[in-house]
């Protein structure tokens, strides 16, 4: 069975369905063509006589999910030998046939690639993401995302983002600039080249963004040991490094 919308396709590979009075349970596997070439396990528990009035929970498990097919179609052509091993558990609360909340619990996951014959590695060890639709938009927050790049662990990162019809605001704590720069290698966008050349580093301990309108916005940040290399155009001159605490 195949479920399509204007963006993505979900294929039901195996599904067993049981109905008992007002309880309905489905168990099986699904695949995401164009994103991954392996399967996710799914359990759906619903209660009610009509789907539009039903409530319950969706449970989904990804084990050794390979997202390389999706990455290969979007990343820079300079990136080679992309490998991925993604693992997580996901719960979603359903009420009146609609998703009311989603919680994703990361399990140890890795992403690796080669750039200029150098191996790069990014990993998420643990952490939780929570997404909740609201009447006017959505909320997204996290709890202690444990990550590392090139096998160096970074401080636990937390974020909280709110988007509605009139406003976008967000706060991120412990954002590692070097890690962000490393991940930007994957983006097929020339705009990042000036950033990558300067090899930025440091940590943004607290970043706050509040955007109401193009003429009404606010950005504030606290950071330490922020640094970058200032490249020069002549090969016989040495580049120099700048380091700041904000």
């Amino acid at each position: 069975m195949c479920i399509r919308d204007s963006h993505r396709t979900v294929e039901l590979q195996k599904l067993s369905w049981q109905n008992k009075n007002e309880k309905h349970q489905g168990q099986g596997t699904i695949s995401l063509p164009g994103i991954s070439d392996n399967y996710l396990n799914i359990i759906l528990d619903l209660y009610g006589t009509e789907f539009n009035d039903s409530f319950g929970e969706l449970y989904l498990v990804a084990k050794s999910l390979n997202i390389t097919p999706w990455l290969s179609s979007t990343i820079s052509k300079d990136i080679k030998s992309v490998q991925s091993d993604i693992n997580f558990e996901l719960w979603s609360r359903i009420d009146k046939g609609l998703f009311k909340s989603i919680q994703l619990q990361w399990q140890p996951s890795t992403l690796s690639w080669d750039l200029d014959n150098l191996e790069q590695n990014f990993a998420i060890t643990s952490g939780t993401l929570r997404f909740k639709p609201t009447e006017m938009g959505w909320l997204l927050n996290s709890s202690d995302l444990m990550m590392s790049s090139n096998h160096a662990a970074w401080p636990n990162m937390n974020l909280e983002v709110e988007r509605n019809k009139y406003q976008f605001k967000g706060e991120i704590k412990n954002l590692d600039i070097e890690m962000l720069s490393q991940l930007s290698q994957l983006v097929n966008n020339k705009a990042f080249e000036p950033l990558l050349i300067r090899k930025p580093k440091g940590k943004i301990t607290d970043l706050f963004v509040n955007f109401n309108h193009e003429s009404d916005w606010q950005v504030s940040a606290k950071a330490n040991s922020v640094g970058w290399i200032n490249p020069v155009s002549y090969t016989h001159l040495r580049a120099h490094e700048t380091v700041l605490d904000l």
Side-chain angles (χ1 to χ4, degrees), residues 229-232 234-241:
I229 294 175
N230 295 307
V232 294
Y234 299 99
T235 56
H236 65 279
L237 296 177
R238 296 181 61 186
H240 62 278
E241 184 177 5

Side-chain angles (χ1 to χ4, degrees), residues 68-98:
T68 302
W70 172 66
L71 285 173
S72 297
S73 64
T74 59
I75 62 178
S76 169
K77 295 180 180 179
D78 297 328
I79 301 298
K80 309 296 181 183
S81 304
V82 179
Q83 296 184 12
S84 57
D85 183 1
I86 309 300
N87 302 277
F88 61 81
E89 294 179 89
L90 182 147
W91 296 264
S92 179
R93 181 68 181 171
I94 299 172
D95 190 16
K96 295 184 178 180
L98 300 174

Side-chain angles (χ1 to χ4, degrees), residues 81-220:
S81 304
V82 179
Q83 296 184 12
S84 57
D85 183 1
I86 309 300
N87 302 277
F88 61 81
E89 294 179 89
L90 182 147
W91 296 264
S92 179
R93 181 68 181 171
I94 299 172
D95 190 16
K96 295 184 178 180
L98 300 174
F99 293 113
K100 293 298 183 181
S101 64
I102 298 174
Q103 177 172 309
L104 186 148
Q105 181 69 46
W106 283 108
Q107 306 295 335
S109 302
T110 59
L111 176 64
S112 63
W113 64 95
D114 288 349
L115 178 63
D116 298 331
N117 295 320
L118 295 176
E119 182 180 351
Q120 304 289 321
N121 178 279
F122 173 76
I124 298 180
T125 304
S126 63
T128 304
L129 290 172
R130 303 179 188 87
F131 178 84
K132 183 177 181 180
T134 63
E135 290 184 3
M136 300 179 63
W138 48 264
L139 297 170
L140 174 68
N141 63 60
S142 72
S143 297
D144 293 332
L145 295 173
M146 296 183 62
M147 298 178 288
S148 64
S149 61
N150 293 337
H151 308 291
W154 305 117
N156 292 359
M157 189 182 80
N158 291 281
L159 64 87
E160 186 167 347
V161 180
E162 180 179 358
R163 178 77 167 99
N164 59 47
K165 185 178 180 180
Y166 305 103
Q167 182 186 48
F168 173 89
K169 64 179 180 179
E171 185 175 15
I172 301 178
K173 295 182 180 296
N174 296 330
L175 176 62
D176 190 276
I177 298 174
E178 190 173 353
M179 181 182 67
L180 186 63
S181 177
Q182 182 201 29
L183 291 176
S184 69
Q185 297 172 0
L186 298 171
V187 181
N188 189 15
N189 191 328
K190 297 292 184 181
F192 286 99
E193 288 187 359
L195 172 69
L196 297 176
I197 290 174
R198 287 167 171 79
K199 298 182 179 180
K201 63 181 182 180
K203 184 175 71 174
I204 300 176
T205 56
D206 196 347
L207 173 65
F208 176 78
V209 178
N210 187 12
F211 184 88
N212 297 303
H213 188 267
E214 60 182 16
S215 61
D216 181 13
W217 54 273
Q218 177 188 4
V219 177
S220 63

